[in-house]
Amino acid sequence: MHLSECTDLFSETNTFDAEVTECVKEWLWKTKTEFYGWDDRLQLDPLFGALCWSYSIAGICMFIVQPKWTKRSSFPYQTFALVLICVQGPLSFIADYLNMTNDTVFHVIDRFMACTNMILLFGKLAAFYFHSRPSNFYASLASTSFAVLSFMNSQDAQELHDPEGFIFWHNMWHLYPIQCIVIEMYDAFVLGDYDDEMSRAGSSTRRITASSLRVPGILSEKLKSFLLYGDSSSSSSSTPLKEKKGK
């Protein structure tokens, strides 16, 4: 049972009925992958194993460089970083690299943690939307969409018993944390750390300044009359200054 099969069932009814629920349960609790027993046929290269630690690398970067928006958001940024460092990184390495062809409970734990972290990632995206630069939010949203696509493709490759396709798409899935860090580091160190409070204050100041420079219509007419005729009273009975100077 694969998550792609569950999504196909859901697309048929557009409801979480008993069949879809049972499918998700089977996928979450299975202790084997489709490559169970493929010890000689599934050759995972060192790059595959190294990318399993991308979660820990991303967590370390998050823990060291904490953006300003985290101080104004309720998102548990540092806690999430610690989970990536201490739990998700080692767990991915044990489940995906060391035991991909074995029957082990680590596959179950890895799936539950992956689902939990995806929920946290969507919470982080929501925090981006309200507290970070818009370009940061849209870049992170695009990266998340590509990561989900990669994961679903890796599930399809497992179902088709396609080792090369699985390795490629699972590597793309594990590149997601690195993509997120690149986006955040570029935002912080190249574009400059975004401060939404200062941005709002600047916008308010610009609005106040613009409104204070607006001259009421009556004063505007009087000022125009004074510049043309040298008198702010009645423009119809006065001679323009330019004509006086000509005489």
Side-chain angles (χ1 to χ4, degrees):
M1 187 62 66
H2 296 275
L3 187 60
S4 56
E5 296 179 58
C6 301
T7 55
D8 290 340
L9 288 173
F10 176 77
S11 63
E12 293 175 2
T13 59
N14 291 325
T15 56
F16 282 102
D17 55 18
E19 189 176 8
V20 176
T21 304
E22 186 64 26
C23 178
V24 173
K25 285 181 180 179
E26 288 185 23
W27 173 73
L28 280 172
W29 288 101
K30 67 176 185 176
T31 58
K32 301 177 183 178
T33 70
E34 290 301 317
F35 296 116
Y36 172 69
W38 281 47
D39 301 81
D40 299 328
R41 288 173 286 178
L42 182 66
Q43 300 297 325
L44 300 176
D45 54 29
L47 177 62
F48 188 95
L51 286 176
C52 292
W53 294 100
S54 62
Y55 300 98
S56 295
I57 295 172
I60 292 171
C61 293
M62 288 171 60
F63 198 79
I64 294 175
V65 181
Q66 188 171 350
K68 288 182 180 179
W69 64 263
T70 59
K71 299 176 182 178
R72 301 182 297 274
S73 172
S74 59
F75 179 77
Y77 193 84
Q78 287 190 331
T79 302
F80 185 37
L82 289 173
V83 169
L84 293 177
I85 296 169
C86 303
V87 181
Q88 190 60 66
L91 193 56
S92 294
F93 183 76
I94 294 171
D96 293 344
Y97 188 66
L98 298 181
N99 292 286
M100 180 56 69
T101 59
N102 299 327
D103 184 353
T104 174
V105 72
F106 282 112
H107 293 306
V108 179
I109 301 172
D110 183 46
R111 289 190 199 98
F112 273 98
M113 281 305 305
C115 292
T116 302
N117 286 331
M118 281 306 295
I119 294 172
L120 287 171
L121 281 168
F122 283 118
K124 186 180 174 184
L125 280 175
F128 278 166
Y129 181 80
F130 289 106
H131 301 289
S132 185
R133 187 178 276 106
S135 59
N136 192 8
F137 167 74
Y138 289 116
S140 299
L141 181 62
S143 180
T144 303
S145 301
F146 180 72
V148 172
L149 174 66
S150 299
F151 178 76
M152 296 306 295
N153 284 339
S154 74
Q155 290 287 296
D156 290 337
Q158 273 198 65
E159 187 178 2
L160 296 172
H161 294 96
D162 177 12
E164 292 182 359
F166 168 74
I167 292 172
F168 174 79
W169 287 112
H170 212 70
N171 281 345
M172 293 298 101
W173 162 248
H174 282 172
L175 275 176
Y176 173 61
I178 304 299
Q179 295 172 11
C180 291
I181 290 302
V182 169
I183 292 170
E184 292 185 46
M185 295 299 105
Y186 182 82
D187 182 73
F189 294 107
V190 178
L191 299 179
D193 208 351
Y194 185 75
D195 193 330
D196 59 337
E197 290 183 352
M198 290 298 293
S199 177
R200 286 196 297 268
S203 299
S204 302
T205 304
R206 286 192 295 271
R207 285 196 297 270
I208 293 171
T209 304
S211 61
S212 63
L213 290 176
R214 293 192 189 100
V215 181
I218 298 175
L219 292 178
S220 176
E221 290 297 325
K222 288 186 177 181
L223 180 61
K224 181 179 178 181
S225 175
F226 177 78
L227 292 174
L228 288 174
Y229 304 104
D231 189 1
S232 62
S233 57
S234 176
S235 60
S236 58
S237 60
S238 303
T239 306
L241 288 177
K242 292 182 180 179
E243 293 182 9
K244 290 180 180 180
K245 289 180 180 179
K247 293 179 180 179

